[in-house]
Amino acid sequence: MAEQMEILVGELNDGINKAGLAKNQAEYEKYYQLVFDRLDQLEKHLEDHRFLLGNQLTEVDVRLYVTLTRFDIAYYFGYRLNKKRSRDYHNLWNYAKDLYSKPGFRDITDFDAIKRGYLLGAENNPDGILPEGPDVSVWLESNDRAAKFGSLKNG
């Protein structure tokens, strides 16, 4: 199971990069589909699981969290992965907000740095215009994970 999740999350991250850096339409479409297939699989899995590998937070969860924090800000527009935003997935969105609600995650998540890093100086943004959005205050909204699965230990 752990190996499968690492592959799944790895394919998601790899697919995001390959879609965003694709040099032709067919390559882009192939990885676009892979990304959303993987997000759909993760959405389904998180319907019945607090974390990716059960009831304990693992490295795979941290890797997915990083991807989800970047998705709406950078990948959705900058990498043309615009089928859905992370917040359009009920379970993935609540999972990400649950992790963000923990100081260890919230304290190291800098949405402005993510936006600057991916969008300033990007090939598809030659004028260096930094978008005002998206509104990241939605990350502070409540999530349903604790009610559904219980409180997180030590967090």
Side-chain angles (χ1 to χ4, degrees):
M1 177 69 151
E3 186 176 316
Q4 290 172 327
M5 276 299 158
E6 287 185 36
I7 290 169
L8 186 63
V9 173
E11 284 182 357
L12 175 64
N13 293 333
D14 193 42
I16 287 169
N17 287 323
K18 287 184 177 182
L21 302 172
K23 299 296 182 197
N24 63 61
Q25 190 69 33
E27 183 180 4
Y28 161 73
E29 289 176 8
K30 173 185 173 182
Y31 290 107
Y32 177 96
Q33 190 61 49
L34 175 68
V35 166
F36 288 101
D37 286 349
R38 296 303 168 255
L39 288 171
D40 289 342
Q41 288 175 322
L42 291 165
E43 171 72 4
K44 178 102 176 101
H45 178 79
L46 289 169
E47 184 176 328
D48 300 318
H49 299 86
R50 177 73 185 263
F51 300 108
L52 293 176
L53 299 178
N55 294 322
Q56 228 176 354
L57 191 62
T58 67
E59 178 185 349
V60 181
D61 293 292
V62 175
R63 289 174 59 201
L64 180 57
Y65 170 79
V66 170
T67 300
L68 294 173
T69 60
R70 296 173 180 177
F71 203 89
D72 294 0
I73 293 174
Y75 304 146
Y76 184 86
F77 293 107
Y79 282 18
R80 301 173 305 276
L81 292 167
N82 58 359
K83 180 179 181 180
K84 290 182 178 180
R85 301 167 302 167
S86 60
R87 66 181 78 173
D88 295 328
Y89 290 94
H90 178 81
N91 297 312
L92 279 167
W93 180 236
N94 279 282
Y95 164 86
K97 290 189 302 178
D98 183 29
L99 295 178
Y100 182 74
S101 72
K102 310 303 175 215
F105 286 85
R106 183 176 51 245
D107 296 343
I108 62 164
T109 303
D110 185 341
F111 291 110
D112 285 332
I114 293 167
K115 189 170 20 174
R116 286 191 309 274
Y118 278 90
L119 301 178
L120 285 182
E123 188 176 301
N124 60 351
N125 187 9
D127 297 318
I129 296 171
L130 194 62
E132 286 293 314
D135 177 10
V136 296
S137 69
V138 295
W139 283 84
L140 297 170
E141 294 174 355
S142 63
N143 67 79
D144 66 0
R145 305 303 280 178
K148 189 172 184 176
F149 297 106
S151 295
L152 211 132
K153 294 176 185 162
N154 300 324

